[in-house]
């Protein structure tokens, strides 16, 4: 037997017991004729004491960091107890040891605060995974997956695997493709998600499906993206939107309870996409704090239908505001006494290329009831007060204003709101706030080519299987999708169609999203047509789905959670990579395997493929 106990297990009540432990050497401390060794395994650390006799043997067979060691000995009470570790009351008086394997000196320390940089740790990920900090993340990930499986199982969901070697499932990214040796010149696509399969399972009658599953998307990587990532993918039949929202907010609440011991008893708020954009500037608002946007002009996007918005800003001869498509403000609480240096710094912040604004206007709502702004030349104190009132600003607040084109300004102020929220401590790591965002637009208009499908056409905002809101189906059926005048695409009726789609947002992160699906063949064909697919292309790409819809498809809908991201948020980290055992770097490389890599000529020959790199 290699061990009787783990390195995290022994306590004061085990004193006098003979035990055998096995693990890795964490540290070695020699004091004259005795040596202390910390032995580590997945469960913890136990102190070993090598007395005089064994010390001589150690001199002949010296230990090193990360050696694999087995010891036999007796548990004994420590005189110098260590309150920081669970086994800190005891140590093992070693009688016998055996070096099971040696180790090179590791390239970085296997400690929480390691001296290894990112690249080094990824290259030696198998060593990095020995670190407690990384292990904790994987344990959390496992806890989230166990909780998910338990909840879904209790609710009658069935875990059904779907294939990886398939034909394209569009989710708005490029496919990874795999050449087929047996079918020369032909390629599989790796699934961007199991979307069409889970819908087919609904047609087959498996009315509650789930899978914790890998998805593959060949897109440009950002810090929180991986080319392969994991989803909790779910689908249900005979449901309306509300059934789905209830079921899956239940899942997240259960995960909170099981993983974080948080009782999330409050009702999960629901907000339309339009309200999210209007009040927060983006479709995944962090509602842990207020600081909602003040819209100072009428909306310039048809996607936002706030017709009774008063014009609060025009007519003061301040060209920047008068000529801007959009002027937006936030009232930052308690910051009216910001110095020139501080407001300058925020101005520089919004001018950074990632934010892309030309400047910032501020109004200080002083505690003595006066107002002071950077545009006093143009606006009377009366006018400033009116703006402050409309922004619900209080004495002591600092109003920050941005102006420019609709899309950029809305995005910029939403970033600024998050930044100020962070600076003021409103985005607390251990506070969790869920939000459903509903009623997304069904289509987006691609003025420029996005994915090789050409410019000047409608693209599905979620994916092509998402159904329109029931009372918008007629707009879709009764109108020709073609946009004659590209400049006027916003006037096309399709711009107004809202989808039966929903996203679940946690602390300003989209953690899941889905939709009620189209299940009638004709409507699905109309959708494909709207996206620019002729009948031939529809058959070629989705003939199987249209075929299935001829054999009794039930009404159905579902969603998928970004599993890695959910784990990262629950673990209080920005990076999903920390929660994946073997992640890729920012260029999509596995630096440990050194993949992707070239393949042998023999493999090219078998595939009948010739490389012709441009
Ligand atoms: N397949 C979708 C996605 O990956 C989720 C869904 O609609 O269920 O985003």
């Amino acid at each position: 037997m290699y061990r009787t106990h783990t390195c995290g297990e022994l306590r004061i009540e085990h004193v006098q017991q003979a035990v055998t432990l096995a693990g890795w050497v964490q540290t070695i401390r020699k004091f004259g004729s005795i040596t202390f060794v910390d032995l580590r395994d997945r469960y913890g650390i136990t102190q070993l004491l090598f007395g005089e006799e064994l010390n001589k043997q150690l001199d002949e067979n010296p230990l090193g960091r990360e050696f694999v060691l087995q010891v036999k000995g007796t548990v004994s009470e420590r005189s110098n107890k260590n309150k920081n570790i669970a086994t800190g009351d005891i140590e093992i008086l070693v009688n016998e040891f055996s070096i099971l394997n040696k180790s090179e000196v590791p390239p970085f320390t296997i400690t929480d605060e390691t001296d290894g940089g990112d690249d080094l740790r990824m290259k030696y990920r198998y060593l990095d995974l020995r670190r407690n900090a990384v292990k904790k993340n994987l344990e959390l990930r496992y806890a989230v997956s166990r909780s998910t499986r338990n909840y879904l199982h209790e609710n009658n969901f069935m875990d059904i695997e779907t294939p990886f070697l398939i034909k394209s499932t569009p989710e708005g990214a490029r496919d990874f493709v795999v050449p087929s040796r047996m079918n020369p010149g032909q390629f599989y696509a790796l699934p961007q998600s199991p979307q069409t399969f889970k819908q087919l399972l609904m047609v087959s009658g498996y009315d509650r499906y789930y899978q914790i599953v890998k998805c593959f998307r060949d897109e440009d990587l950002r810090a929180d993206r991986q080319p392969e990532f994991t989803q909790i993918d779910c689908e249900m039949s005979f449901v309306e939107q509300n059934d789905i929202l209830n079921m899956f907010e239940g899942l997240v609440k259960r995960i909170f309870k099981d993983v974080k011991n948080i009782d999330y008893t409050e009702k999960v708020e629901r907000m339309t996409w339009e309200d999210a954009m209007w009040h927060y500037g983006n479709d995944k608002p962090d509602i842990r704090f207020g600081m909602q946007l003040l819209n100072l002009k009428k909306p310039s996007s048809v996607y936002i239908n706030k017709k009774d918005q008063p014009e609060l800003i025009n007519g003061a001869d301040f060209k920047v505001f008068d000529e801007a498509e959009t002027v937006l403000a936030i009232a930052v609480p308690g910051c009216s006494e910001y110095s020139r240096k501080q407001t300058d710094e925020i101005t520089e912040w919004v001018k950074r290329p990632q934010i892309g604004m030309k400047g910032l206007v501020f109004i200080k709502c002083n505690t003595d009831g006066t107002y002071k702004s950077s545009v006093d030349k143009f606006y009377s104190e009366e006018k400033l007060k009116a703006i402050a009132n409309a922004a619900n600003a209080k004495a002591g607040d600092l109003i920050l204003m941005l102006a420019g084109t609709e899309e950029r300004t809305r995005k910029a102020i939403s970033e600024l709101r998050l930044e100020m929220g962070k600076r003021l401590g409103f985005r607390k790591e251990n506070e969790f706030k869920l939000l459903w965002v509903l009623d997304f637009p069904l289509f987006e208009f691609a003025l420029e080519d996005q994915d090789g499908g050409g410019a000047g056409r409608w693209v599905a905002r979620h994916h092509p299987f998402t159904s329109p809101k029931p009372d918008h189906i007629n707009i879709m059926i009764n109108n020709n999708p073609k946009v004659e005048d590209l400049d006027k695409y916003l006037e096309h009726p399709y711009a107004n169609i809202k989808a039966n789609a929903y996203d679940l947002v946690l602390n300003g992160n989209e953690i899941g999203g889905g939709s009620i699906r189209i299940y009638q063949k004709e409507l699905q064909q109309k959708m494909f047509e709207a996206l620019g697919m002729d009948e031939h292309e529809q058959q070629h790409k989705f003939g199987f789905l249209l075929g299935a819809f001829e054999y009794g498809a039930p009404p159905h809908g579902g969603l998928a959670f970004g599993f890695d991201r959910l784990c990262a948020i629950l673990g209080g980290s920005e990076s999903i990579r920390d929660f994946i055992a073997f992640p890729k770097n920012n260029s999509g490389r596995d630096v440990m395997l050194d993949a992707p890599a070239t393949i042998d000529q023999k493999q090219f020959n078998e595939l009948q493929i010739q490389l012709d790199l441009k």
Side-chain angles (χ1 to χ4, degrees), residues 216-263:
F216 306 86
R217 297 184 190 177
D218 186 3
E219 42 194 357
D220 295 335
L221 299 180
R222 292 190 236 125
D224 62 344
R225 289 256 174 92
Q226 286 275 302
E228 52 175 313
F229 61 96
T230 306
Q231 282 189 345
I232 306 171
D233 190 45
C234 308
E235 197 75 6
M236 301 169 81
S237 293
F238 305 114
V239 283
E240 288 166 356
Q241 176 165 295
N242 217 18
D243 301 314
I244 305 244
L245 304 190
N246 289 335
M247 176 63 73
F248 291 102
E249 63 187 54
L251 168 61
V252 179
K253 286 178 177 182
R254 170 70 169 268
I255 294 172
F256 280 149
K257 180 69 196 160
D258 289 349
V259 178
K260 305 287 290 183
N261 200 19
I262 291 174
D263 286 303

Side-chain angles (χ1 to χ4, degrees), residues 409-420:
T409 311
R410 208 163 274 284
K411 190 157 183 294
I413 197 114
S414 108
E415 295 290 335
L416 181 62
R417 172 181 171 272
L418 291 175
E419 175 66 19
M420 296 313 291

Side-chain angles (χ1 to χ4, degrees), residues 249 264 267-272 276 280 282-287 432-438 502-512:
E249 63 187 54
Y264 196 105
K267 211 171 146 16
V268 176
E269 264 185 62
R270 297 177 183 187
M271 188 185 291
T272 63
Y280 295 93
N282 71 36
D283 57 7
K284 46 181 167 64
D286 184 346
I287 54 163
F432 294 100
K433 201 106 194 204
L434 290 163
L435 169 75
W436 284 110
V437 177
L438 310 172
Y502 32 79
D503 275 359
L504 188 57
V505 175
L506 175 58
N507 294 358
N509 302 280
E510 180 206 324
I511 57 165

Side-chain angles (χ1 to χ4, degrees), residues 171 192-193 195 198 217 231 233-235 462-463 513-515 517 558-560:
E171 295 279 4
Q192 294 185 32
S193 84
Q195 184 62 36
K198 64 177 175 176
R217 297 184 190 177
Q231 282 189 345
D233 190 45
C234 308
E235 197 75 6
H462 188 45
H463 52 53
S515 59
R517 323 298 184 190
L559 87 179

Side-chain angles (χ1 to χ4, degrees), residues 17 49 58-59 61 92 105 118 133 146 187 195 197 212 226 229 257 314 328 344 423 435 487 507 523 556 581 585 593:
Q17 276 191 27
L49 173 57
L58 276 185
D59 287 341
N61 302 283
I92 311 298
V105 175
D118 251 11
R146 239 171 26 226
F187 296 79
Q195 184 62 36
F197 288 101
I212 299 185
Q226 286 275 302
F229 61 96
K257 180 69 196 160
N314 279 355
L328 295 164
D344 281 354
R423 290 186 189 189
L435 169 75
D487 286 339
N507 294 358
L523 189 57
H556 61 283
N585 75 5
L593 303 177

